[in-house]
């Protein structure tokens, strides 16, 4: 489409228009740089030999017309490659809509979702650049993507949104695009000011810094600095990218399966970042205690309490003492580390106070181990006295699941009282998986407790069990109802589980619910559903079944 009388294309642009900026960059690629003329509508005017003017307003039509002026400059002559270029431009239109959602979001949740959706589209665009080579020829794709990347970089710089993190190829190609002669008059400081000024003051992104979501701490080391190897090259300070010669890390394009996994990994990373930022706003994401370390720690404690049964094979009296002494040192070191990690999860936690507290409370836990051993010996004796199948105390220690569950509960309960509910809960759930007995670490259990058989026993957080209590399988000491705070949330920590007195026997399948009291010496029969208190010495049973022949 030749230009009549030497007249060049005229680009008329509305304020801060993406389409106009893309058309202007396409003109730069065609060797016809021109600053857009301000007007009420964005349009491209071309002189035509047969008509006075050809006016185009649809973005793809503008690019096609400019490519007709300079054939092969903006689009490939190969039909397959040309279809791929136009498909990417379609993705860019989707990214435009997502970017608008980012800038208009009125609450943190909407902003998180909008950022996720925008990143998803941009990562698809990023992957489409994989096979273009180290220094590809710039084409229509780059003219379309450069203004979008430029806007995202503006938001990153001014509002810490981290939209461009990981888009190395897109940024590098956009930087090359803006380095072309004439491109700097399209995306200059004035255009940057116009884009930022049009953001709604009510949007989350425009809130004061202390009320705005800050993604940097959630990103951890990956977010500091955002682009460590980037240096500005031109007078335009807004878009700073890698040089085209800089090495760009990228997945191996030869394996499409790996590429798909990279997509999934990136989506999971974004979800993880958002979740972490909600849990730990305004600070670096802390490390979590290690479940595997805590489980090994529990095993070490059990081994130190009963070295002949759960220590290395072949221990004699002397080697058992050496094993226990060495194991106690290991326990204290590991427990101190894990306690510090749990307490650093608190909103106002500081490293030094948490470390000091961890050392002090680890020592307190170690000092309580003899008491745990004494208490558990009463449990073992109660099992021996209460189960006619038990042939020896050693058999009970090694084989009875109820005894194993109570020992691990007493260890976890000691940590729970020290203010480490997460470590205690890890131990309790591990014990639950081994024995089938679910005891919350907050439950208080007196001496000489015997859980016979035990499968399916559930004991809630605020339950209190007296001395010399016997419990059979499938018993539940649970809550009857949960109090609400009036806003749909549950009130936590309120007493809601039964109080079981001394010398009580609870037979299989009984459900005892609510903050009720079971008096001393009471017997609760099998299969009973109980929600009222029981006086001392009472016997509670179901109605006797009748036999009809």
């Amino acid at each position: 489409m030749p230009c009549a009388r030497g007249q060049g294309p005229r680009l008329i642009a509305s304020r801060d228009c993406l389409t106009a900026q893309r058309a202007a960059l396409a003109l730069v690629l065609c060797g016809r740089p021109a600053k857009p003329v301000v007007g009420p509508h964005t349009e491209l005017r071309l002189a035509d030999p047969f008509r006075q003017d050809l006016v185009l307003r649809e973005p793809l039509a503008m690019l096609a017309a400019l490519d007709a002026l300079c054939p092969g400059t903006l689009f490939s002559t190969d039909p397959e490659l040309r279809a791929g270029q136009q498909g990417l431009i379609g993705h860019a239109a989707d990214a435009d809509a997502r970017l608008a959602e980012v800038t208009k979001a009125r609450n943190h949740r909407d902003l998180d979702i909008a950022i996720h959706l925008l990143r998803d589209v941009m990562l698809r665009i990023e992957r489409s650049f994989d096979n273009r080579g180290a220094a590809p020829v710039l084409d229509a794709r780059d003219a379309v993507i450069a203004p979008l990347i430029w806007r995202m970089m503006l938001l990153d710089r001014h509002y810490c949104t981290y939209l461009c993190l990981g888009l190395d190829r897109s940024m590098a190609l956009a930087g090359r695009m803006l380095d072309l002669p004439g491109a700097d008059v399209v995306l200059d400081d004035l255009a940057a000011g116009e884009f930022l000024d049009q953001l709604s003051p009510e949007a989350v992104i425009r809130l004061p810094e202390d009320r705005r979501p800050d993604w940097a701490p959630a990103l951890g080391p990956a977010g500091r600095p955002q682009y460590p190897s980037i240096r500005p090259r031109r007078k335009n300070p807004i878009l700073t990218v890698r040089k085209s010669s800089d090495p760009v890390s990228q997945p191996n394009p030869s394996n499409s399966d790996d590429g798909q996994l990279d997509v999934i990994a990136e989506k999971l990373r974004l979800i993880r970042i958002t979740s972490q930022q909600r849990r730990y706003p305004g600070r670096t994401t802390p490390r979590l205690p290690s479940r595997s370390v805590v489980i090994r720690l529990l095993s070490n404690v059990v081994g130190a309490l009963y070295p002949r049964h759960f220590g290395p094979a072949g221990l004699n009296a002397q080697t058992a003492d050496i094993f226990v002494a060495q194991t106690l040192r290991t326990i204290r070191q590991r427990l101190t580390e894990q306690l510090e990690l749990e307490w650093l999860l608190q909103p106002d936690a500081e490293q030094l106070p948490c470390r000091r507290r961890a050392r002090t409370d680890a020592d307190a836990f170690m000092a309580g181990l003899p008491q745990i051993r004494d208490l558990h010996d009463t449990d073992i004796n109660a099992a021996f006295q209460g189960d006619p199948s038990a042939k020896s105390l050693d058999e009970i220690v090694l084989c009875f699941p109820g005894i194993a569950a109570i020992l691990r509960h007493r260890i976890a309960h000691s940590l729970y009282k020290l203010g480490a509910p997460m470590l205690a809960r890890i131990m309790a759930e591990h014990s639950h998986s081994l024995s089938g007995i679910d005891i919350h670490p907050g439950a208080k259990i007196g001496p000489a407790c015997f859980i016979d058989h035990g499968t399916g026993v559930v004991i809630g957080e605020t339950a209190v069990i007296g001395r010399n209590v016997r419990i059979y399988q499938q018993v539940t000491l649970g809550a009857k109802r949960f109090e609400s705070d009036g806003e749909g949330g549950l009130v936590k920590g309120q007493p809601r589980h039964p109080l079981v007195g001394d010398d009580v026997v609870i037979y299989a399948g009984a459900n005892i619910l609510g903050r009720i009291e079971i008096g001393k010496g009471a017997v609760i029969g099998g299969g009973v559903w109980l929600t009222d208190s029981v006086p001392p010495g009472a016997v509670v049973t179901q109605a006797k079944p009748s036999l009809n022949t």
Side-chain angles (χ1 to χ4, degrees):
M1 186 183 300
C3 298
R5 298 179 300 278
Q7 181 183 353
R10 293 181 61 236
L11 181 61
I12 301 171
S14 59
R15 184 171 179 264
D16 184 45
C17 177
L18 260 172
T19 298
Q21 291 173 346
R22 286 165 172 161
L25 292 179
L27 283 168
V28 169
L29 282 178
C30 292
R32 301 169 180 267
K35 187 174 179 63
V37 178
V38 178
H41 303 289
T42 295
E43 56 188 34
L44 180 68
R45 292 180 176 269
L46 294 169
D48 187 277
F50 307 104
R51 287 178 287 184
Q52 185 174 3
D53 257 340
L54 179 63
V55 179
L56 301 171
R57 291 181 179 171
E58 199 276 325
L60 197 55
M62 289 184 187
L63 294 175
L66 291 174
D67 186 59
L69 282 175
C70 303
T73 301
L74 296 180
F75 291 100
S76 173
T77 55
D78 180 273
E80 185 176 349
L81 293 178
R82 187 183 188 92
Q85 290 171 326
Q86 293 177 344
L88 182 138
I89 292 172
H91 286 320
D94 191 12
D96 294 347
R98 302 307 181 193
L99 182 61
E101 292 174 4
V102 169
T103 59
K104 294 176 182 177
R106 299 298 180 89
N107 58 66
H108 290 199
R109 175 62 179 166
D110 288 347
L111 178 62
D112 287 342
I113 293 172
I115 288 176
H116 278 71
L117 294 175
L118 174 61
R119 293 272 301 164
D120 180 62
V121 178
M122 292 306 299
L123 286 167
R124 274 185 278 161
I125 293 173
E126 175 80 358
R127 287 190 298 276
S128 73
F129 292 153
D130 283 353
N131 299 322
R132 293 184 66 186
V137 176
L138 299 176
D139 57 30
R141 291 172 289 186
D142 306 297
V144 168
I145 297 303
L148 189 61
I149 290 287
W150 179 78
R151 280 167 163 72
M152 293 165 62
M153 281 294 296
L154 277 174
L155 297 179
D156 283 358
R157 181 178 295 274
H158 291 274
Y159 302 113
C160 297
T161 50
Y162 293 88
L163 300 177
C164 292
L165 194 63
L167 303 180
D168 292 341
R169 298 176 199 81
S170 302
M171 291 174 60
L173 290 168
R176 287 182 55 200
M177 184 76 237
L178 292 184
D179 275 344
L180 296 177
D184 56 340
V185 300
V186 179
L187 299 178
D188 55 11
D189 292 342
L190 178 61
E194 289 179 346
F195 170 70
L196 295 174
D197 289 344
Q198 60 89 28
L199 300 181
S200 170
E202 298 178 1
V204 177
I205 209 166
R206 287 289 296 270
L207 291 177
E209 288 189 13
D210 58 340
R211 296 176 55 203
R212 202 167 63 222
D214 180 10
W215 283 46
L219 288 169
R224 301 188 307 270
Q226 185 180 355
Y227 307 110
S229 63
I230 294 170
R231 296 182 300 276
R233 296 183 296 160
R234 294 181 61 84
K235 66 179 182 180
N236 185 344
I238 302 304
L239 180 60
T240 54
V241 297
R242 296 180 186 270
K243 296 180 179 180
S244 59
S245 59
D246 289 347
V248 178
S249 60
Q250 57 184 6
N252 185 356
S254 63
N255 192 331
S256 59
D257 292 338
D258 288 350
Q260 181 64 24
L261 294 178
D262 291 341
V263 175
I264 297 170
E266 178 62 19
K267 289 182 179 180
L268 291 174
R269 188 185 71 84
L270 290 170
I271 295 171
R272 187 171 65 250
I273 288 170
T274 304
S275 174
Q276 290 169 349
Q277 178 56 24
R278 291 195 193 101
R279 280 179 285 169
Y280 314 111
R283 65 191 182 109
T284 302
T285 301
R287 287 172 54 205
L288 290 170
S290 168
R291 180 179 173 83
S292 60
V293 170
V294 174
I295 291 173
R296 286 201 304 273
L297 177 63
L298 175 62
S299 177
N300 289 338
V301 175
V302 172
L305 295 177
Y306 292 91
R308 286 197 312 114
H309 301 83
F310 302 108
L315 289 179
N316 56 33
Q318 183 179 3
T319 55
D321 290 340
I322 297 172
F323 165 75
V324 170
Q326 293 175 339
T327 304
L328 290 178
R329 292 182 177 87
T330 301
I331 293 169
R332 182 172 60 182
Q333 177 186 351
R334 288 179 177 171
L335 180 59
T336 302
E337 294 169 353
Q338 297 303 307
L339 285 172
E340 181 182 346
L341 289 175
E342 174 164 354
W343 290 328
L344 284 172
L345 298 176
Q346 301 303 316
D348 300 325
E350 295 181 6
Q351 185 90 34
L352 188 56
C354 288
R355 182 164 298 170
R356 289 172 177 167
R357 180 187 173 189
R359 290 171 180 168
T360 301
D361 285 0
D363 287 340
F365 173 83
M366 303 301 292
L369 290 179
Q371 183 184 9
I372 292 175
R373 168 70 199 238
D374 278 344
L375 268 176
H376 191 58
D377 280 351
T378 67
D379 303 327
I380 296 169
N381 287 326
F384 186 74
Q385 298 296 327
D387 189 345
S389 72
K391 300 300 188 288
S392 69
L393 297 178
D394 289 329
E395 177 192 3
I396 292 170
V397 175
L398 286 170
C399 305
F400 279 37
I403 291 301
I406 291 176
L407 172 59
R408 285 156 180 79
H409 167 74
R410 296 199 186 282
I411 296 168
H413 183 66
S414 178
L415 289 173
Y416 187 89
K417 291 191 298 181
L418 289 172
M422 184 179 293
L423 302 191
R425 195 64 180 265
I426 291 172
M427 292 181 176
E429 293 307 324
H430 178 65
S431 174
H432 179 196
S433 69
L434 295 176
S435 65
I437 299 169
D438 185 2
I439 310 176
H440 192 284
K444 298 177 181 178
I445 299 180
C449 181
F450 176 37
I451 299 178
D452 198 359
H453 303 297
T455 303
V457 168
V458 177
I459 301 175
E461 177 187 16
T462 61
V464 179
I465 299 175
R467 65 178 60 220
N468 197 33
V469 172
R470 193 188 323 164
I471 299 173
Y472 288 86
Q473 69 271 18
Q474 299 293 334
V475 167
T476 297
L477 303 181
K480 182 180 179 181
R481 67 172 187 271
F482 305 107
E483 294 186 16
S484 172
D485 59 8
E487 297 181 358
L490 296 179
V491 178
K492 297 182 182 292
Q494 296 296 315
R496 58 193 183 278
H497 299 102
L499 303 170
V500 179
D502 299 343
D503 305 314
V504 169
V505 179
I506 307 174
Y507 283 98
N511 290 278
I512 305 174
L513 307 178
R515 194 65 169 179
I516 62 175
E517 186 171 350
I518 310 301
K520 180 178 179 180
V523 176
I524 310 300
V528 167
W529 180 278
L530 190 59
T531 58
D532 296 312
S533 293
V534 175
V539 177
V540 182
T541 62
Q542 298 188 77
K544 289 186 178 181
S546 60
L547 176 63
N548 295 320
T549 61

